[in-house]
């Protein structure tokens, strides 16, 4: 898959160095059984520059399941429905390319992110960790959302 920049009608007033984030090798950091070609990086750009970015990995951990590695929205855009709109675009884009489920993970300590994803219909798949990230121990909550009538394997819901 190629990286895609998706234009938007939103007009962000500011940017918090998202463009710096985009220059990192993070976009090639995928599981060993996958290649960077299996990942799509989607960006949203307005008159003020890039204000959101998402990376999604095709068919991981199995066919039809796509893993949203991250979705970052400029802080100035939060609380205004931009994140919901962006996720809706990501979901539609992935579904048109064969996704039947989307999975992601949030740090257990990031309660706001967990609330956001659950409000979009994601359910807990499992809890993982603790693992060390940025020199701290964290647990992750893995969440899943079905895009079709298929059941989510291993779900407790």
């Amino acid at each position: 898959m190629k990286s895609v920049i998706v234009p938007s009608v939103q007009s962000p007033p500011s940017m918090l160095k998202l463009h710096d984030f985009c220059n990192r090798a993070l976009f090639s950091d995928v599981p060993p059984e996958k290649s960077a070609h299996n990942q799509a990086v989607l960006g949203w750009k307005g008159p003020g520059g890039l204000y959101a970015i998402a990376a999604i990995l095709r068919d991981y951990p199995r066919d039809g399941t796509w893993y949203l590695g991250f979705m970052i929205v400029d802080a100035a855009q939060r609380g205004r429905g931009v994140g919901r709109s962006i996720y809706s675009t990501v979901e539609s884009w992935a579904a048109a390319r064969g996704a039947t489920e989307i999975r992601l993970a949030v740090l257990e300590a990031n309660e706001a992110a967990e609330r956001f994803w659950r409000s979009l219909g994601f359910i807990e798949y499992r809890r993982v960790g603790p693992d060390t990230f940025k020199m701290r121990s964290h647990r992750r909550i893995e969440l899943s959302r079905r895009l079709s009538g298929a059941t989510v394997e291993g779900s407790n819901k």
Side-chain angles (χ1 to χ4, degrees):
M1 286 189 285
K2 297 189 301 188
S3 298
V4 179
I5 298 293
V6 180
S8 174
V9 296
Q10 300 287 337
S11 299
S14 68
M15 276 301 302
L16 294 179
K17 302 210 181 230
L18 271 179
H19 64 281
D20 292 338
F21 179 81
C22 296
N23 294 327
R24 300 195 180 159
L26 181 62
F27 299 131
S28 61
D29 185 20
V30 295
E33 65 272 22
K34 291 293 189 177
S35 77
H37 289 70
N38 297 117
Q39 181 169 256
V41 178
L42 306 166
W44 287 261
K45 184 177 176 183
L50 187 67
Y51 64 91
I53 192 161
I56 191 164
L57 186 62
R58 174 191 290 264
D59 296 327
Y60 181 79
R62 65 176 183 262
D63 287 353
T65 300
W66 289 36
Y67 197 90
L68 185 61
F70 59 85
M71 187 178 98
I72 301 170
V73 178
D74 180 27
Q77 299 299 309
R78 295 182 192 152
R80 299 176 18 199
V82 173
R84 290 178 182 283
S85 175
I86 287 171
Y87 174 73
S88 177
T89 300
V90 169
E91 181 180 291
S92 296
W93 184 87
R97 287 157 181 79
T100 58
E101 175 187 4
I102 293 181
R103 290 187 184 175
L104 56 89
V106 297
L107 296 180
E108 193 174 58
N110 191 347
E111 294 173 1
E114 181 182 357
R115 278 192 309 273
F116 172 76
W117 293 111
R118 287 182 184 272
S119 76
L120 291 173
F122 279 81
I123 59 170
E124 185 172 327
Y125 179 73
R126 65 181 180 168
R127 291 188 184 234
V128 180
D131 296 309
T132 301
F133 175 69
K134 291 190 176 183
M135 306 203 31
R136 292 184 52 198
S137 181
H138 297 279
R139 290 182 50 87
R140 292 184 322 275
I141 303 169
E142 294 190 358
L143 301 169
S144 176
R145 177 175 158 83
R146 286 182 297 228
L147 307 185
S148 69
T151 59
V152 178
E153 199 174 291
S155 172
N156 60 1
K157 301 267 178 184

